[in-house]
Amino acid sequence: MEMFDLSLIWALIIGFGIMMYVLMDGFDLGLGILFPFAPDEDARDVMMNSVAPVWDGNETWLVLGGAGLLAAFPLVYSVFLPALYIGVFLMLAGLVFRGVAFELRFKSRRDRRGRRLWNLAFSGGSAVAAFAQGAVVGTYIQGFETENGVYVGGPFDWLTPFTLLTGIGIMIGYALLGTTWLILKSEGYIQQWAYRLTTPLLLAVLVIFAIISIWTPLVNDVVWERWFGNLHVIWVLPALTLLCMFTVFWASRRGYEVLPFIATLGTFLFTYLGLVVSKWPWIVPPNYTIWDAASAPESQLFLLIGVLFVLPFVLVYTFWSYWVFRGKVRAGEGYH
């Protein structure tokens, strides 16, 4: 008998990595989605400079989650990649365009045409990546058509009305993260613009959250049983999500700077935990649990040693980068 459940440990590590990615990369994707609506080019400079020092570190968590899945749960890759190939490709292409735009936009200060091009790459890449992430989440909620551990569905099965809604929902949610981040990092007319956008985006998130909450148990029997068989337990998470949403509204209306962003992070956190609790322990729904999809214990243990060594350094680097670049970002100043 194993002293430790390695599959459970890996599930917690990967879940933590995905959660950190959503929370930390969500706001800079949100800024990209908001980019075309910014008041002027100075505001766009401030938006990009506010995340330029940390965006690449934020994506470290995506690498951790993806590499961890491949190493610890290879069955996930054998199903997810054929099922989500187009969606994952769109996400990665969006992230590439956005990453290139970070560097080249600042090198085009005197070239208006070039700057407009990189503005488009940044906003378009952010929007595509965010939508693809939401669609992937929606596909995971729906489940996969498999036989003997092999995906047997079509290449566009991931694109349904439900996944379109989850994709749009993630885009709007990330935009809300972007506005509350900008409230924290900017000042003057840029901050006021972010304040004005926060309430409409929050209402849109609330509406989509309600629709998805009603729709989700209808597309997945396991979620139906989980939700309505544990009313006294599982519904604590949606209640906390709604509390965080109210806090965003209340704090932004009263001019708070830090609390709206923290409450928006809480909204995402409790929604994410609600999804995990709803689907646990199915990692390839509706047929395979984390133990069914796990690699050999020897492989998991070998890789776990390396991850446990690296993870503290990633956490320290993340904290340090945010600490060093704390404070307001002003027009004409920044990372570049």
Side-chain angles (χ1 to χ4, degrees), residues 11 18 21 81 129 180 223 285:
I18 294 173
Y21 171 75
L81 285 186
T180 54
V223 174

Side-chain angles (χ1 to χ4, degrees), residues 8-322:
L8 179 59
I9 293 172
W10 268 108
L12 292 174
I13 291 173
I14 293 170
F16 177 73
I18 294 173
M19 180 191 72
M20 290 293 290
Y21 171 75
V22 170
L23 295 180
M24 306 191 77
D25 205 38
F27 61 81
D28 59 60
L29 285 169
L31 289 180
I33 293 168
L34 295 170
F35 223 56
F37 310 103
D40 53 33
E41 206 63 26
D42 284 341
R44 294 187 183 96
D45 287 343
V46 170
M47 293 165 73
M48 188 169 273
N49 272 319
S50 72
V51 295
V54 297
W55 74 271
D56 48 354
N58 293 342
E59 293 189 348
T60 302
W61 298 104
L62 181 62
V63 175
L64 173 65
L69 274 177
L70 177 61
F73 303 105
L75 179 64
V76 174
Y77 263 68
S78 69
V79 173
F80 277 31
L81 285 186
L84 302 170
Y85 180 82
I86 296 174
V88 172
F89 171 79
L90 289 174
M91 181 188 74
L92 295 177
L95 293 176
V96 168
F97 274 96
R98 187 184 64 136
V100 172
F102 262 110
E103 301 301 328
L104 295 186
R105 180 180 178 275
F106 286 101
K107 299 183 186 297
S108 306
R109 285 189 175 91
R110 299 178 181 178
D111 181 2
R112 292 185 178 180
R113 185 177 179 182
R115 175 162 279 214
R116 285 196 298 268
L117 173 65
W118 295 119
N119 285 347
L120 178 63
F122 182 62
S123 59
S126 299
V128 168
F131 174 80
Q133 289 175 19
V136 167
V137 171
T139 307
Y140 172 73
I141 293 172
Q142 289 182 156
F144 301 87
E145 188 177 348
T146 60
E147 289 182 8
N148 300 318
V150 177
Y151 177 69
V152 295
F156 290 99
D157 285 2
W158 63 276
L159 196 59
T160 67
F162 181 75
T163 61
L164 286 174
L165 181 63
T166 56
I168 294 170
I170 288 292
M171 289 177 65
I172 297 174
Y174 282 171
L176 177 62
L177 267 175
T179 61
T180 54
W181 169 260
L182 200 57
I183 287 170
L184 175 65
K185 298 294 288 185
S186 67
E187 57 187 12
Y189 75 97
I190 301 172
Q191 187 186 60
Q192 292 305 312
W193 172 71
Y195 273 123
R196 289 194 299 271
L197 286 180
T198 297
T199 298
L201 287 171
L202 179 63
L203 291 175
V205 169
L206 180 60
V207 170
I208 292 179
F209 175 80
I211 296 173
I212 292 176
S213 297
I214 294 170
W215 200 341
T216 295
L218 300 179
V219 301
N220 191 287
D221 294 336
V222 172
V223 174
W224 178 280
E225 295 175 4
R226 188 68 54 84
W227 282 21
F228 296 103
N230 297 275
L231 292 177
H232 60 294
V233 176
I234 200 169
W235 286 87
V236 170
L237 294 172
L240 291 172
T241 301
L242 291 174
L243 177 61
C244 287
M245 289 184 178
F246 173 77
T247 303
V248 174
F249 173 77
W250 177 83
S252 62
R253 298 289 286 186
R254 282 159 178 76
Y256 289 95
E257 295 188 342
V258 178
L259 189 56
F261 181 64
I262 298 299
T264 307
L265 291 178
T267 300
F268 271 83
L269 173 62
F270 290 121
T271 302
Y272 175 79
L273 291 177
L275 173 62
V276 171
V277 172
S278 298
K279 304 293 288 186
W280 180 262
W282 309 102
I283 196 169
V284 184
N287 299 317
Y288 300 100
T289 67
I290 61 170
W291 298 281
D292 298 325
S295 59
E298 295 80 8
S299 299
Q300 288 186 333
L301 180 60
F302 176 76
L303 293 164
L304 180 63
I305 295 172
V307 168
L308 293 179
F309 175 77
V310 171
L311 192 57
F313 290 96
V314 176
L315 288 168
V316 170
Y317 168 78
T318 300
F319 172 80
W320 183 249
S321 62
Y322 278 89

